[in-house]
Amino acid sequence: MKLLTAATLLLASTAVFARPAPLVSIPSHDGFFDNIAAHCGKAYEGKVTVDNAAGPSSFAGKKLVMHVRRCNERELQVPFHVGEDASRTWIITKTGSGLSLKHDHRHKDGTDDVSTMYGGHTVDAGFESVQSFPADQYSKELFVNQGIPQSMGNTWQMYIYPEKFTYRLIRQGREFRVDFDLTKPITPPASPWGYKD
């Protein structure tokens, strides 16, 4: 009986200390994440301000909208609508070793595009207003398999200031940038492809 009581007490005492490991972060990553999360539920219109690609842009003449759609303590889902194309969602995640940015691309029926979940991870502290995401290994291998090895050098950057949010892609010889006006919220669009309200 004494052995059973001791075993029960030991089990009870260990249960008290059993908990998930904490999700650690640093102030600049938290600040950046929180600055975007402060806009949760809101949508904003933007415009291409830099695009040095040759040929006509697929974004030309289309309404560009970002929608800070879903937010929790670990993840932000930000659909990026290009005209009627609702295939793109930026996913910013706290990983415990920084921040991850992924591009979730879907078809209209909700299935995954062959080019999906590419992105990168922070490699330094960044700032509360600016973070950079150099391409991760998954993305590099995806780009090679798709025959676009030049994209292995991609770095995505996001800037958030009181009046403007910027999404920027850079690599050697390539720059693309969209700026969104945070002073004028608009009616949020419908759910992006593959997501439900």
Side-chain angles (χ1 to χ4, degrees):
M1 184 68 177
K2 287 182 181 178
L3 188 58
L4 182 59
T5 304
T8 303
L9 286 172
L10 181 62
L11 257 170
S13 67
T14 56
V16 171
F17 297 105
R19 63 174 176 77
L23 182 67
V24 297
S25 193
I26 61 173
S28 56
H29 292 159
D30 288 339
F32 177 82
F33 188 95
D34 293 345
N35 283 340
I36 296 174
H39 294 272
C40 205
K42 296 179 181 175
Y44 304 96
E45 193 166 350
K47 62 182 178 179
V48 175
T49 52
V50 178
D51 187 357
N52 67 351
S57 170
S58 60
F59 290 25
K62 295 180 180 171
K63 184 176 181 179
L64 307 179
V65 175
M66 67 170 282
H67 178 201
V68 187
R69 184 171 176 271
R70 292 268 168 89
C71 312
N72 62 38
E73 66 281 349
R74 185 171 181 178
E75 181 181 276
L76 306 174
Q77 296 176 2
V78 185
F80 174 40
H81 297 256
V82 179
E84 299 299 312
D85 184 338
S87 65
R88 302 166 177 88
T89 299
W90 301 321
I91 301 175
I92 303 160
T93 308
K94 289 186 178 183
T95 65
S97 58
L99 297 172
S100 165
L101 168 65
K102 289 290 184 175
H103 298 73
D104 183 0
H105 283 222
R106 309 278 184 102
H107 296 291
K108 200 165 189 175
D109 65 1
T111 58
D112 295 331
D113 190 275
V114 66
S115 177
T116 192
M117 298 311 285
Y118 63 84
H121 197 283
T122 55
V123 294
D124 57 26
F127 302 93
E128 289 189 359
S129 55
V130 183
Q131 291 293 333
S132 294
F133 306 90
D136 59 26
Q137 192 60 35
Y138 166 80
S139 304
K140 291 177 182 180
E141 293 184 25
L142 178 69
F143 296 148
V144 168
N145 290 336
Q146 293 181 326
I148 49 171
Q150 65 275 20
S151 295
M152 290 174 64
N154 282 4
T155 294
W156 296 272
Q157 296 177 325
M158 289 182 165
Y159 304 71
I160 182 154
Y161 295 104
E163 297 183 352
K164 181 167 65 175
F165 175 87
T166 296
Y167 169 87
R168 183 181 186 221
L169 162 68
I170 54 171
R171 66 172 179 260
Q172 187 172 3
R174 179 75 172 107
E175 182 178 4
F176 174 79
R177 175 175 174 154
V178 184
D179 292 322
F180 297 87
D181 184 351
L182 299 182
T183 67
K184 298 174 183 173
I186 64 171
T187 302
S191 301
W193 298 344
Y195 288 77
K196 294 181 180 179
D197 284 329

